[in-house]
Amino acid sequence: MSLAHAILVSLVECPQSGYDLAKKFDGSVGFFWKATHQQIYRELTKLEELAWLIPQTIAQVGRPDKKLYSLTDLGRENLKIWIAQPCEVSPNKEELLVKIYAGHLVSPKILEKEISRHQQLHQETLAIYQEIERQMHCGSQCLPETLKYTYLTLRIGIKFEIAWIEWCEEAIAAIGEKIDFN
Amino acid sequence: MSLAHAILVSLVECPQSGYDLAKKFDGSVGFFWKATHQQIYRELTKLEELAWLIPQTIAQVGRPDKKLYSLTDLGRENLKIWIAQPCEVSPNKEELLVKIYAGHLVSPKILEKEISRHQQLHQETLAIYQEIERQMHCGSQCLPETLKYTYLTLRIGIKFEIAWIEWCEEAIAAIGEKIDFN
DNA sequence: TAGTACATGTAACAGGTTACATGATTGA
DNA sequence: TCAATCATGTAACCTGTTACATGTACTA
């Protein structure tokens, strides 16, 4: 039941509509939890039934109405309970690595090209993260409590992207030449 | 259709039963693609229907029969085609990070304890990977073609674990003290 | 006038999880 | 005798994906 929790986490900050959440799941929380708008609407309905959320319909000029969802006390309590519970290390699924694992079946050139493309994608993501990081601590003042945690999640995002970029370089070298790692 | 491909990748090396695959998905290919035995059996049935695999029933003494699946030429061709196709960066879902994101809702001590527990889990995984790495290149001879690719996937596994371990340390420090990252 | 952003939804299907079911053998 | 390992499967359910559907308003 973790998409539900990701939605609750997202709504802690401020009330949002399904549409808002769908966009947010393409950034911030979305860096480590993905969901489509269909999933989100389905989940919002469930959470409303549980009374963990309450909707408020907002009329807008020249726009369709929007249903702003906020956490109820019950929802907030349940979220706290969930956060305090220990969790497993999430399994990672990496399509590229499945391909690399049987990489000897295709030409090294195809692999090199694909890895190099991924390296570029990771470099772009890293640039985005670093820009957010730069904006988060202008000067060198301490961050407020809530931002501190957001910042921590950003930090690991950066570390992962750097790991990918370094690996891509290493992999391209290893595939091209008959390199020995030492 | 990626579990199918992960199974094919796994069967490139040697014919295996559903049971063998289920165990394997708990190591090697399983480091970047997880699946339960129920999923695997369901998928094997589909792949047999497509004639990408052929089963061979092996009678055993004192054990139930096993159905060893091998790749057909068709299966191998399709696998090659799939590997050669470009793919997206796989989205990662990290439950711990969803929790950290709203970490201010619970006591810092709970978070520190949980992060420290995760650090230990990652240290254990790292130790396993490093042991495999050690076994893979005894001396400093070059690896054969197929092992080279396995080795590359291991390398990124190691990088990820190191990134996690470093981050856990950083996070614990940041939560405890009023630390400023610079 | 065509495309994008806003805003919410249904339906069908594919993929993943959990529980249950069976039954032999091996080792503590 | 109890648990673990070997070996395969069904059924129900939940989660995630893709396609379709609707309608306004703004901008190029």
Side-chain angles (χ1 to χ4, degrees), chain B residues 1 36 38-39 42 46 62 64:
Chain B
M1 198 168 176
T36 59
Q38 292 83 350
Q39 265 180 282
R42 186 163 52 183
K46 281 189 209 166

mmCIF file with all atom_site columns, all heavy atoms in Angstrom, chain B residues 1 36 38-39 42 46 62 64, chain C residues 15-19 23 25:
data_model
loop_
_atom_site.group_PDB
_atom_site.id
_atom_site.type_symbol
_atom_site.label_atom_id
_atom_site.label_alt_id
_atom_site.label_comp_id
_atom_site.label_asym_id
_atom_site.label_entity_id
_atom_site.label_seq_id
_atom_site.pdbx_PDB_ins_code
_atom_site.Cartn_x
_atom_site.Cartn_y
_atom_site.Cartn_z
_atom_site.occupancy
_atom_site.B_iso_or_equiv
_atom_site.pdbx_formal_charge
_atom_site.auth_seq_id
_atom_site.auth_comp_id
_atom_site.auth_asym_id
_atom_site.auth_atom_id
_atom_site.pdbx_PDB_model_num
ATOM 1   N N     . MET B 1 1  ? 6.936  -6.136  -21.115 1.00 0.00 ? 1  MET B N     1
ATOM 2   C CA    . MET B 1 1  ? 7.235  -7.577  -21.188 1.00 0.00 ? 1  MET B CA    1
ATOM 3   C C     . MET B 1 1  ? 8.651  -7.874  -20.742 1.00 0.00 ? 1  MET B C     1
ATOM 4   O O     . MET B 1 1  ? 9.401  -8.586  -21.385 1.00 0.00 ? 1  MET B O     1
ATOM 5   C CB    . MET B 1 1  ? 7.029  -8.080  -22.622 1.00 0.00 ? 1  MET B CB    1
ATOM 6   C CG    . MET B 1 1  ? 6.886  -9.584  -22.667 1.00 0.00 ? 1  MET B CG    1
ATOM 7   S SD    . MET B 1 1  ? 6.323  -10.181 -24.224 1.00 0.00 ? 1  MET B SD    1
ATOM 8   C CE    . MET B 1 1  ? 6.416  -11.947 -23.923 1.00 0.00 ? 1  MET B CE    1
ATOM 9   N N     . THR B 1 36 ? 8.875  -13.575 -8.180  1.00 0.00 ? 36 THR B N     1
ATOM 10  C CA    . THR B 1 36 ? 8.517  -14.709 -7.318  1.00 0.00 ? 36 THR B CA    1
ATOM 11  C C     . THR B 1 36 ? 8.330  -15.945 -8.197  1.00 0.00 ? 36 THR B C     1
ATOM 12  O O     . THR B 1 36 ? 8.233  -15.831 -9.423  1.00 0.00 ? 36 THR B O     1
ATOM 13  C CB    . THR B 1 36 ? 7.195  -14.426 -6.581  1.00 0.00 ? 36 THR B CB    1
ATOM 14  O OG1   . THR B 1 36 ? 6.164  -14.205 -7.550  1.00 0.00 ? 36 THR B OG1   1
ATOM 15  C CG2   . THR B 1 36 ? 7.322  -13.215 -5.684  1.00 0.00 ? 36 THR B CG2   1
ATOM 16  N N     . GLN B 1 38 ? 5.776  -17.778 -8.579  1.00 0.00 ? 38 GLN B N     1
ATOM 17  C CA    . GLN B 1 38 ? 4.476  -17.771 -9.259  1.00 0.00 ? 38 GLN B CA    1
ATOM 18  C C     . GLN B 1 38 ? 4.531  -16.973 -10.552 1.00 0.00 ? 38 GLN B C     1
ATOM 19  O O     . GLN B 1 38 ? 4.004  -17.394 -11.588 1.00 0.00 ? 38 GLN B O     1
ATOM 20  C CB    . GLN B 1 38 ? 3.410  -17.179 -8.346  1.00 0.00 ? 38 GLN B CB    1
ATOM 21  C CG    . GLN B 1 38 ? 3.086  -18.036 -7.144  1.00 0.00 ? 38 GLN B CG    1
ATOM 22  C CD    . GLN B 1 38 ? 4.061  -17.844 -6.008  1.00 0.00 ? 38 GLN B CD    1
ATOM 23  O OE1   . GLN B 1 38 ? 5.102  -17.206 -6.175  1.00 0.00 ? 38 GLN B OE1   1
ATOM 24  N NE2   . GLN B 1 38 ? 3.743  -18.389 -4.856  1.00 0.00 ? 38 GLN B NE2   1
ATOM 25  N N     . GLN B 1 39 ? 5.187  -15.843 -10.501 1.00 0.00 ? 39 GLN B N     1
ATOM 26  C CA    . GLN B 1 39 ? 5.349  -15.034 -11.709 1.00 0.00 ? 39 GLN B CA    1
ATOM 27  C C     . GLN B 1 39 ? 6.136  -15.783 -12.762 1.00 0.00 ? 39 GLN B C     1
ATOM 28  O O     . GLN B 1 39 ? 5.829  -15.732 -13.943 1.00 0.00 ? 39 GLN B O     1
ATOM 29  C CB    . GLN B 1 39 ? 6.159  -13.788 -11.370 1.00 0.00 ? 39 GLN B CB    1
ATOM 30  C CG    . GLN B 1 39 ? 5.370  -12.568 -11.048 1.00 0.00 ? 39 GLN B CG    1
ATOM 31  C CD    . GLN B 1 39 ? 6.332  -11.433 -10.729 1.00 0.00 ? 39 GLN B CD    1
ATOM 32  O OE1   . GLN B 1 39 ? 6.889  -11.388 -9.624  1.00 0.00 ? 39 GLN B OE1   1
ATOM 33  N NE2   . GLN B 1 39 ? 6.548  -10.548 -11.661 1.00 0.00 ? 39 GLN B NE2   1
ATOM 34  N N     . ARG B 1 42 ? 4.167  -18.607 -14.449 1.00 0.00 ? 42 ARG B N     1
ATOM 35  C CA    . ARG B 1 42 ? 3.175  -18.023 -15.357 1.00 0.00 ? 42 ARG B CA    1
ATOM 36  C C     . ARG B 1 42 ? 3.835  -17.580 -16.655 1.00 0.00 ? 42 ARG B C     1
ATOM 37  O O     . ARG B 1 42 ? 3.333  -17.805 -17.753 1.00 0.00 ? 42 ARG B O     1
ATOM 38  C CB    . ARG B 1 42 ? 2.493  -16.837 -14.660 1.00 0.00 ? 42 ARG B CB    1
ATOM 39  C CG    . ARG B 1 42 ? 1.338  -16.247 -15.445 1.00 0.00 ? 42 ARG B CG    1
ATOM 40  C CD    . ARG B 1 42 ? 0.444  -15.381 -14.577 1.00 0.00 ? 42 ARG B CD    1
ATOM 41  N NE    . ARG B 1 42 ? 1.196  -14.367 -13.836 1.00 0.00 ? 42 ARG B NE    1
ATOM 42  C CZ    . ARG B 1 42 ? 0.652  -13.529 -12.958 1.00 0.00 ? 42 ARG B CZ    1
ATOM 43  N NH1   . ARG B 1 42 ? -0.628 -13.595 -12.675 1.00 0.00 ? 42 ARG B NH1   1
ATOM 44  N NH2   . ARG B 1 42 ? 1.379  -12.647 -12.325 1.00 0.00 ? 42 ARG B NH2   1
ATOM 45  N N     . LYS B 1 46 ? 3.738  -18.864 -20.855 1.00 0.00 ? 46 LYS B N     1
ATOM 46  C CA    . LYS B 1 46 ? 3.543  -17.958 -21.999 1.00 0.00 ? 46 LYS B CA    1
ATOM 47  C C     . LYS B 1 46 ? 4.659  -18.120 -23.028 1.00 0.00 ? 46 LYS B C     1
ATOM 48  O O     . LYS B 1 46 ? 4.420  -18.172 -24.231 1.00 0.00 ? 46 LYS B O     1
ATOM 49  C CB    . LYS B 1 46 ? 3.525  -16.504 -21.527 1.00 0.00 ? 46 LYS B CB    1
ATOM 50  C CG    . LYS B 1 46 ? 2.213  -16.066 -20.912 1.00 0.00 ? 46 LYS B CG    1
ATOM 51  C CD    . LYS B 1 46 ? 2.248  -14.549 -20.685 1.00 0.00 ? 46 LYS B CD    1
ATOM 52  C CE    . LYS B 1 46 ? 1.373  -14.160 -19.503 1.00 0.00 ? 46 LYS B CE    1
ATOM 53  N NZ    . LYS B 1 46 ? 1.644  -12.774 -19.057 1.00 0.00 ? 46 LYS B NZ    1
ATOM 54  N N     . GLY B 1 62 ? 14.084 -39.957 -6.425  1.00 0.00 ? 62 GLY B N     1
ATOM 55  C CA    . GLY B 1 62 ? 13.743 -39.413 -5.112  1.00 0.00 ? 62 GLY B CA    1
ATOM 56  C C     . GLY B 1 62 ? 13.385 -37.958 -5.104  1.00 0.00 ? 62 GLY B C     1
ATOM 57  O O     . GLY B 1 62 ? 13.359 -37.310 -4.063  1.00 0.00 ? 62 GLY B O     1
ATOM 58  N N     . PRO B 1 64 ? 10.834 -34.836 -7.331  1.00 0.00 ? 64 PRO B N     1
ATOM 59  C CA    . PRO B 1 64 ? 9.823  -34.671 -8.391  1.00 0.00 ? 64 PRO B CA    1
ATOM 60  C C     . PRO B 1 64 ? 10.508 -34.408 -9.728  1.00 0.00 ? 64 PRO B C     1
ATOM 61  O O     . PRO B 1 64 ? 11.648 -33.937 -9.758  1.00 0.00 ? 64 PRO B O     1
ATOM 62  C CB    . PRO B 1 64 ? 9.020  -33.445 -7.934  1.00 0.00 ? 64 PRO B CB    1
ATOM 63  C CG    . PRO B 1 64 ? 9.575  -33.005 -6.637  1.00 0.00 ? 64 PRO B CG    1
ATOM 64  C CD    . PRO B 1 64 ? 10.744 -33.821 -6.287  1.00 0.00 ? 64 PRO B CD    1
ATOM 65  P P     . DG  C 2 15 ? 2.979  -8.030  -19.144 1.00 0.00 ? 15 DG  C P     1
ATOM 66  O OP1   . DG  C 2 15 ? 4.176  -7.528  -19.860 1.00 0.00 ? 15 DG  C OP1   1
ATOM 67  O OP2   . DG  C 2 15 ? 2.587  -9.454  -19.229 1.00 0.00 ? 15 DG  C OP2   1
ATOM 68  O "O5'" . DG  C 2 15 ? 3.130  -7.665  -17.605 1.00 0.00 ? 15 DG  C "O5'" 1
ATOM 69  C "C5'" . DG  C 2 15 ? 3.434  -6.336  -17.201 1.00 0.00 ? 15 DG  C "C5'" 1
ATOM 70  C "C4'" . DG  C 2 15 ? 3.494  -6.318  -15.687 1.00 0.00 ? 15 DG  C "C4'" 1
ATOM 71  O "O4'" . DG  C 2 15 ? 2.170  -6.533  -15.145 1.00 0.00 ? 15 DG  C "O4'" 1
ATOM 72  C "C3'" . DG  C 2 15 ? 4.395  -7.385  -15.096 1.00 0.00 ? 15 DG  C "C3'" 1
ATOM 73  O "O3'" . DG  C 2 15 ? 5.232  -6.680  -14.194 1.00 0.00 ? 15 DG  C "O3'" 1
ATOM 74  C "C2'" . DG  C 2 15 ? 3.438  -8.361  -14.402 1.00 0.00 ? 15 DG  C "C2'" 1
ATOM 75  C "C1'" . DG  C 2 15 ? 2.242  -7.467  -14.082 1.00 0.00 ? 15 DG  C "C1'" 1
ATOM 76  N N9    . DG  C 2 15 ? 0.919  -8.063  -14.004 1.00 0.00 ? 15 DG  C N9    1
ATOM 77  C C8    . DG  C 2 15 ? 0.301  -8.861  -14.934 1.00 0.00 ? 15 DG  C C8    1
ATOM 78  N N7    . DG  C 2 15 ? -0.919 -9.206  -14.582 1.00 0.00 ? 15 DG  C N7    1
ATOM 79  C C5    . DG  C 2 15 ? -1.101 -8.590  -13.351 1.00 0.00 ? 15 DG  C C5    1
ATOM 80  C C6    . DG  C 2 15 ? -2.222 -8.589  -12.484 1.00 0.00 ? 15 DG  C C6    1
ATOM 81  O O6    . DG  C 2 15 ? -3.310 -9.143  -12.630 1.00 0.00 ? 15 DG  C O6    1
ATOM 82  N N1    . DG  C 2 15 ? -1.976 -7.835  -11.324 1.00 0.00 ? 15 DG  C N1    1
ATOM 83  C C2    . DG  C 2 15 ? -0.812 -7.166  -11.064 1.00 0.00 ? 15 DG  C C2    1
ATOM 84  N N2    . DG  C 2 15 ? -0.740 -6.500  -9.914  1.00 0.00 ? 15 DG  C N2    1
ATOM 85  N N3    . DG  C 2 15 ? 0.246  -7.158  -11.874 1.00 0.00 ? 15 DG  C N3    1
ATOM 86  C C4    . DG  C 2 15 ? 0.024  -7.883  -12.987 1.00 0.00 ? 15 DG  C C4    1
ATOM 87  P P     . DG  C 2 16 ? 6.318  -7.422  -13.289 1.00 0.00 ? 16 DG  C P     1
ATOM 88  O OP1   . DG  C 2 16 ? 7.443  -6.481  -13.074 1.00 0.00 ? 16 DG  C OP1   1
ATOM 89  O OP2   . DG  C 2 16 ? 6.561  -8.781  -13.806 1.00 0.00 ? 16 DG  C OP2   1
ATOM 90  O "O5'" . DG  C 2 16 ? 5.505  -7.564  -11.927 1.00 0.00 ? 16 DG  C "O5'" 1
ATOM 91  C "C5'" . DG  C 2 16 ? 5.128  -6.398  -11.201 1.00 0.00 ? 16 DG  C "C5'" 1
ATOM 92  C "C4'" . DG  C 2 16 ? 4.558  -6.789  -9.855  1.00 0.00 ? 16 DG  C "C4'" 1
ATOM 93  O "O4'" . DG  C 2 16 ? 3.240  -7.346  -10.045 1.00 0.00 ? 16 DG  C "O4'" 1
ATOM 94  C "C3'" . DG  C 2 16 ? 5.358  -7.841  -9.082  1.00 0.00 ? 16 DG  C "C3'" 1
ATOM 95  O "O3'" . DG  C 2 16 ? 5.539  -7.322  -7.769  1.00 0.00 ? 16 DG  C "O3'" 1
ATOM 96  C "C2'" . DG  C 2 16 ? 4.492  -9.091  -9.139  1.00 0.00 ? 16 DG  C "C2'" 1
ATOM 97  C "C1'" . DG  C 2 16 ? 3.087  -8.491  -9.237  1.00 0.00 ? 16 DG  C "C1'" 1
ATOM 98  N N9    . DG  C 2 16 ? 2.053  -9.309  -9.869  1.00 0.00 ? 16 DG  C N9    1
ATOM 99  C C8    . DG  C 2 16 ? 2.107  -9.943  -11.086 1.00 0.00 ? 16 DG  C C8    1
ATOM 100 N N7    . DG  C 2 16 ? 0.995  -10.579 -11.385 1.00 0.00 ? 16 DG  C N7    1
ATOM 101 C C5    . DG  C 2 16 ? 0.164  -10.339 -10.301 1.00 0.00 ? 16 DG  C C5    1
ATOM 102 C C6    . DG  C 2 16 ? -1.170 -10.762 -10.041 1.00 0.00 ? 16 DG  C C6    1
ATOM 103 O O6    . DG  C 2 16 ? -1.909 -11.443 -10.749 1.00 0.00 ? 16 DG  C O6    1
ATOM 104 N N1    . DG  C 2 16 ? -1.634 -10.299 -8.822  1.00 0.00 ? 16 DG  C N1    1
ATOM 105 C C2    . DG  C 2 16 ? -0.902 -9.528  -7.949  1.00 0.00 ? 16 DG  C C2    1
ATOM 106 N N2    . DG  C 2 16 ? -1.491 -9.172  -6.809  1.00 0.00 ? 16 DG  C N2    1
ATOM 107 N N3    . DG  C 2 16 ? 0.340  -9.119  -8.171  1.00 0.00 ? 16 DG  C N3    1
ATOM 108 C C4    . DG  C 2 16 ? 0.801  -9.567  -9.360  1.00 0.00 ? 16 DG  C C4    1
ATOM 109 P P     . DT  C 2 17 ? 6.131  -8.240  -6.561  1.00 0.00 ? 17 DT  C P     1
ATOM 110 O OP1   . DT  C 2 17 ? 6.883  -7.341  -5.660  1.00 0.00 ? 17 DT  C OP1   1
ATOM 111 O OP2   . DT  C 2 17 ? 6.747  -9.469  -7.106  1.00 0.00 ? 17 DT  C OP2   1
ATOM 112 O "O5'" . DT  C 2 17 ? 4.793  -8.656  -5.812  1.00 0.00 ? 17 DT  C "O5'" 1
ATOM 113 C "C5'" . DT  C 2 17 ? 3.939  -7.644  -5.265  1.00 0.00 ? 17 DT  C "C5'" 1
ATOM 114 C "C4'" . DT  C 2 17 ? 2.937  -8.288  -4.314  1.00 0.00 ? 17 DT  C "C4'" 1
ATOM 115 O "O4'" . DT  C 2 17 ? 1.992  -9.065  -5.076  1.00 0.00 ? 17 DT  C "O4'" 1
ATOM 116 C "C3'" . DT  C 2 17 ? 3.542  -9.233  -3.283  1.00 0.00 ? 17 DT  C "C3'" 1
ATOM 117 O "O3'" . DT  C 2 17 ? 3.019  -8.817  -2.024  1.00 0.00 ? 17 DT  C "O3'" 1
ATOM 118 C "C2'" . DT  C 2 17 ? 3.080  -10.628 -3.715  1.00 0.00 ? 17 DT  C "C2'" 1
ATOM 119 C "C1'" . DT  C 2 17 ? 1.779  -10.323 -4.457  1.00 0.00 ? 17 DT  C "C1'" 1
ATOM 120 N N1    . DT  C 2 17 ? 1.411  -11.249 -5.574  1.00 0.00 ? 17 DT  C N1    1
ATOM 121 C C2    . DT  C 2 17 ? 0.141  -11.800 -5.598  1.00 0.00 ? 17 DT  C C2    1
ATOM 122 O O2    . DT  C 2 17 ? -0.691 -11.604 -4.726  1.00 0.00 ? 17 DT  C O2    1
ATOM 123 N N3    . DT  C 2 17 ? -0.123 -12.594 -6.685  1.00 0.00 ? 17 DT  C N3    1
ATOM 124 C C4    . DT  C 2 17 ? 0.729  -12.887 -7.729  1.00 0.00 ? 17 DT  C C4    1
ATOM 125 O O4    . DT  C 2 17 ? 0.364  -13.601 -8.648  1.00 0.00 ? 17 DT  C O4    1
ATOM 126 C C5    . DT  C 2 17 ? 2.047  -12.283 -7.645  1.00 0.00 ? 17 DT  C C5    1
ATOM 127 C C7    . DT  C 2 17 ? 3.049  -12.547 -8.727  1.00 0.00 ? 17 DT  C C7    1
ATOM 128 C C6    . DT  C 2 17 ? 2.322  -11.503 -6.585  1.00 0.00 ? 17 DT  C C6    1
ATOM 129 P P     . DT  C 2 18 ? 3.450  -9.533  -0.664  1.00 0.00 ? 18 DT  C P     1
ATOM 130 O OP1   . DT  C 2 18 ? 3.379  -8.500  0.390   1.00 0.00 ? 18 DT  C OP1   1
ATOM 131 O OP2   . DT  C 2 18 ? 4.702  -10.287 -0.923  1.00 0.00 ? 18 DT  C OP2   1
ATOM 132 O "O5'" . DT  C 2 18 ? 2.291  -10.585 -0.412  1.00 0.00 ? 18 DT  C "O5'" 1
ATOM 133 C "C5'" . DT  C 2 18 ? 0.918  -10.163 -0.464  1.00 0.00 ? 18 DT  C "C5'" 1
ATOM 134 C "C4'" . DT  C 2 18 ? 0.026  -11.356 -0.156  1.00 0.00 ? 18 DT  C "C4'" 1
ATOM 135 O "O4'" . DT  C 2 18 ? -0.251 -12.093 -1.371  1.00 0.00 ? 18 DT  C "O4'" 1
ATOM 136 C "C3'" . DT  C 2 18 ? 0.590  -12.359 0.855   1.00 0.00 ? 18 DT  C "C3'" 1
ATOM 137 O "O3'" . DT  C 2 18 ? -0.392 -12.505 1.874   1.00 0.00 ? 18 DT  C "O3'" 1
ATOM 138 C "C2'" . DT  C 2 18 ? 0.845  -13.636 0.038   1.00 0.00 ? 18 DT  C "C2'" 1
ATOM 139 C "C1'" . DT  C 2 18 ? -0.134 -13.486 -1.118  1.00 0.00 ? 18 DT  C "C1'" 1
ATOM 140 N N1    . DT  C 2 18 ? 0.241  -14.090 -2.437  1.00 0.00 ? 18 DT  C N1    1
ATOM 141 C C2    . DT  C 2 18 ? -0.747 -14.694 -3.212  1.00 0.00 ? 18 DT  C C2    1
ATOM 142 O O2    . DT  C 2 18 ? -1.911 -14.776 -2.846  1.00 0.00 ? 18 DT  C O2    1
ATOM 143 N N3    . DT  C 2 18 ? -0.323 -15.197 -4.412  1.00 0.00 ? 18 DT  C N3    1
ATOM 144 C C4    . DT  C 2 18 ? 0.963  -15.162 -4.923  1.00 0.00 ? 18 DT  C C4    1
ATOM 145 O O4    . DT  C 2 18 ? 1.204  -15.644 -6.021  1.00 0.00 ? 18 DT  C O4    1
ATOM 146 C C5    . DT  C 2 18 ? 1.958  -14.515 -4.075  1.00 0.00 ? 18 DT  C C5    1
ATOM 147 C C7    . DT  C 2 18 ? 3.373  -14.426 -4.542  1.00 0.00 ? 18 DT  C C7    1
ATOM 148 C C6    . DT  C 2 18 ? 1.550  -14.011 -2.883  1.00 0.00 ? 18 DT  C C6    1
ATOM 149 P P     . DA  C 2 19 ? -0.159 -13.538 3.110   1.00 0.00 ? 19 DA  C P     1
ATOM 150 O OP1   . DA  C 2 19 ? -0.763 -12.878 4.296   1.00 0.00 ? 19 DA  C OP1   1
ATOM 151 O OP2   . DA  C 2 19 ? 1.242  -14.017 3.153   1.00 0.00 ? 19 DA  C OP2   1
ATOM 152 O "O5'" . DA  C 2 19 ? -1.103 -14.744 2.672   1.00 0.00 ? 19 DA  C "O5'" 1
ATOM 153 C "C5'" . DA  C 2 19 ? -2.370 -14.461 2.066   1.00 0.00 ? 19 DA  C "C5'" 1
ATOM 154 C "C4'" . DA  C 2 19 ? -3.011 -15.756 1.621   1.00 0.00 ? 19 DA  C "C4'" 1
ATOM 155 O "O4'" . DA  C 2 19 ? -2.573 -16.099 0.275   1.00 0.00 ? 19 DA  C "O4'" 1
ATOM 156 C "C3'" . DA  C 2 19 ? -2.686 -16.962 2.499   1.00 0.00 ? 19 DA  C "C3'" 1
ATOM 157 O "O3'" . DA  C 2 19 ? -3.918 -17.599 2.822   1.00 0.00 ? 19 DA  C "O3'" 1
ATOM 158 C "C2'" . DA  C 2 19 ? -1.784 -17.835 1.621   1.00 0.00 ? 19 DA  C "C2'" 1
ATOM 159 C "C1'" . DA  C 2 19 ? -2.295 -17.483 0.228   1.00 0.00 ? 19 DA  C "C1'" 1
ATOM 160 N N9    . DA  C 2 19 ? -1.327 -17.709 -0.859  1.00 0.00 ? 19 DA  C N9    1
ATOM 161 C C8    . DA  C 2 19 ? 0.000  -17.375 -0.889  1.00 0.00 ? 19 DA  C C8    1
ATOM 162 N N7    . DA  C 2 19 ? 0.618  -17.707 -2.010  1.00 0.00 ? 19 DA  C N7    1
ATOM 163 C C5    . DA  C 2 19 ? -0.384 -18.303 -2.772  1.00 0.00 ? 19 DA  C C5    1
ATOM 164 C C6    . DA  C 2 19 ? -0.390 -18.868 -4.060  1.00 0.00 ? 19 DA  C C6    1
ATOM 165 N N6    . DA  C 2 19 ? 0.687  -18.930 -4.841  1.00 0.00 ? 19 DA  C N6    1
ATOM 166 N N1    . DA  C 2 19 ? -1.558 -19.375 -4.517  1.00 0.00 ? 19 DA  C N1    1
ATOM 167 C C2    . DA  C 2 19 ? -2.644 -19.316 -3.722  1.00 0.00 ? 19 DA  C C2    1
ATOM 168 N N3    . DA  C 2 19 ? -2.762 -18.806 -2.491  1.00 0.00 ? 19 DA  C N3    1
ATOM 169 C C4    . DA  C 2 19 ? -1.580 -18.308 -2.071  1.00 0.00 ? 19 DA  C C4    1
ATOM 170 P P     . DG  C 2 23 ? -1.239 -35.375 -2.299  1.00 0.00 ? 23 DG  C P     1
ATOM 171 O OP1   . DG  C 2 23 ? -1.915 -36.337 -3.202  1.00 0.00 ? 23 DG  C OP1   1
ATOM 172 O OP2   . DG  C 2 23 ? -1.691 -35.198 -0.904  1.00 0.00 ? 23 DG  C OP2   1
ATOM 173 O "O5'" . DG  C 2 23 ? 0.309  -35.725 -2.263  1.00 0.00 ? 23 DG  C "O5'" 1
ATOM 174 C "C5'" . DG  C 2 23 ? 1.047  -35.866 -3.477  1.00 0.00 ? 23 DG  C "C5'" 1
ATOM 175 C "C4'" . DG  C 2 23 ? 2.509  -35.841 -3.141  1.00 0.00 ? 23 DG  C "C4'" 1
ATOM 176 O "O4'" . DG  C 2 23 ? 2.971  -34.476 -2.995  1.00 0.00 ? 23 DG  C "O4'" 1
ATOM 177 C "C3'" . DG  C 2 23 ? 2.842  -36.518 -1.792  1.00 0.00 ? 23 DG  C "C3'" 1
ATOM 178 O "O3'" . DG  C 2 23 ? 3.913  -37.394 -1.991  1.00 0.00 ? 23 DG  C "O3'" 1
ATOM 179 C "C2'" . DG  C 2 23 ? 3.239  -35.355 -0.920  1.00 0.00 ? 23 DG  C "C2'" 1
ATOM 180 C "C1'" . DG  C 2 23 ? 3.921  -34.488 -1.974  1.00 0.00 ? 23 DG  C "C1'" 1
ATOM 181 N N9    . DG  C 2 23 ? 4.288  -33.144 -1.534  1.00 0.00 ? 23 DG  C N9    1
ATOM 182 C C8    . DG  C 2 23 ? 3.596  -32.310 -0.676  1.00 0.00 ? 23 DG  C C8    1
ATOM 183 N N7    . DG  C 2 23 ? 4.225  -31.185 -0.437  1.00 0.00 ? 23 DG  C N7    1
ATOM 184 C C5    . DG  C 2 23 ? 5.387  -31.281 -1.165  1.00 0.00 ? 23 DG  C C5    1
ATOM 185 C C6    . DG  C 2 23 ? 6.478  -30.378 -1.285  1.00 0.00 ? 23 DG  C C6    1
ATOM 186 O O6    . DG  C 2 23 ? 6.626  -29.273 -0.758  1.00 0.00 ? 23 DG  C O6    1
ATOM 187 N N1    . DG  C 2 23 ? 7.462  -30.869 -2.136  1.00 0.00 ? 23 DG  C N1    1
ATOM 188 C C2    . DG  C 2 23 ? 7.420  -32.075 -2.775  1.00 0.00 ? 23 DG  C C2    1
ATOM 189 N N2    . DG  C 2 23 ? 8.460  -32.386 -3.535  1.00 0.00 ? 23 DG  C N2    1
ATOM 190 N N3    . DG  C 2 23 ? 6.418  -32.942 -2.674  1.00 0.00 ? 23 DG  C N3    1
ATOM 191 C C4    . DG  C 2 23 ? 5.447  -32.471 -1.850  1.00 0.00 ? 23 DG  C C4    1
ATOM 192 P P     . DT  C 2 25 ? 10.617 -40.658 -1.489  1.00 0.00 ? 25 DT  C P     1
ATOM 193 O OP1   . DT  C 2 25 ? 11.258 -41.624 -2.385  1.00 0.00 ? 25 DT  C OP1   1
ATOM 194 O OP2   . DT  C 2 25 ? 9.928  -41.111 -0.253  1.00 0.00 ? 25 DT  C OP2   1
ATOM 195 O "O5'" . DT  C 2 25 ? 11.689 -39.558 -1.063  1.00 0.00 ? 25 DT  C "O5'" 1
ATOM 196 C "C5'" . DT  C 2 25 ? 12.460 -38.880 -2.064  1.00 0.00 ? 25 DT  C "C5'" 1
ATOM 197 C "C4'" . DT  C 2 25 ? 13.395 -37.902 -1.373  1.00 0.00 ? 25 DT  C "C4'" 1
ATOM 198 O "O4'" . DT  C 2 25 ? 12.625 -36.896 -0.681  1.00 0.00 ? 25 DT  C "O4'" 1
ATOM 199 C "C3'" . DT  C 2 25 ? 14.318 -38.538 -0.316  1.00 0.00 ? 25 DT  C "C3'" 1
ATOM 200 O "O3'" . DT  C 2 25 ? 15.652 -38.173 -0.667  1.00 0.00 ? 25 DT  C "O3'" 1
ATOM 201 C "C2'" . DT  C 2 25 ? 13.863 -37.943 0.997   1.00 0.00 ? 25 DT  C "C2'" 1
ATOM 202 C "C1'" . DT  C 2 25 ? 13.254 -36.621 0.551   1.00 0.00 ? 25 DT  C "C1'" 1
ATOM 203 N N1    . DT  C 2 25 ? 12.221 -36.007 1.434   1.00 0.00 ? 25 DT  C N1    1
ATOM 204 C C2    . DT  C 2 25 ? 12.458 -34.737 1.925   1.00 0.00 ? 25 DT  C C2    1
ATOM 205 O O2    . DT  C 2 25 ? 13.476 -34.095 1.684   1.00 0.00 ? 25 DT  C O2    1
ATOM 206 N N3    . DT  C 2 25 ? 11.452 -34.220 2.714   1.00 0.00 ? 25 DT  C N3    1
ATOM 207 C C4    . DT  C 2 25 ? 10.264 -34.839 3.051   1.00 0.00 ? 25 DT  C C4    1
ATOM 208 O O4    . DT  C 2 25 ? 9.450  -34.263 3.758   1.00 0.00 ? 25 DT  C O4    1
ATOM 209 C C5    . DT  C 2 25 ? 10.080 -36.164 2.511   1.00 0.00 ? 25 DT  C C5    1
ATOM 210 C C7    . DT  C 2 25 ? 8.835  -36.923 2.826   1.00 0.00 ? 25 DT  C C7    1
ATOM 211 C C6    . DT  C 2 25 ? 11.060 -36.687 1.740   1.00 0.00 ? 25 DT  C C6    1
#
